[in-house]
Amino acid sequence: MNKLNIKGNWNEKKGKLKQKYAELTDDDLIYAEGKEEELVGRIQQRLGTSKEKAREIVRNA
């Protein structure tokens, strides 16, 4: 499995995600190191998209 690189500037990425996807909430975007799959799952569920698409959304934020 491909690990997501979301450390460091997460607050900046979170802001971009919330602007682009208004349906995402702060609770959806809670990130804890080692919990990448949980984050992807929440985004996947909220946006009704595939797991790969949810990973791509996070990577490209």
Side-chain angles (χ1 to χ4, degrees), residues 8-60:
N9 59 352
W10 177 241
N11 285 332
E12 182 181 328
K13 285 187 173 210
K14 184 169 71 170
K16 288 179 182 179
L17 285 169
K18 285 173 55 178
Q19 285 178 350
K20 189 170 183 178
Y21 302 98
E23 56 270 65
L24 293 175
T25 66
D26 284 332
D27 288 340
D28 294 329
L29 298 173
I30 292 173
Y31 167 70
E33 190 170 347
K35 301 279 187 171
E36 292 89 357
E37 287 303 307
E38 188 177 320
L39 171 66
V40 168
R42 287 193 303 259
I43 291 173
Q44 176 186 5
Q45 183 178 24
R46 180 67 71 173
L47 298 179
T49 188
S50 70
K51 189 173 271 193
E52 238 352 273
K53 180 66 178 169
R55 280 191 188 110
E56 183 181 322
I57 288 169
V58 173
R59 266 189 234 114
N60 295 326

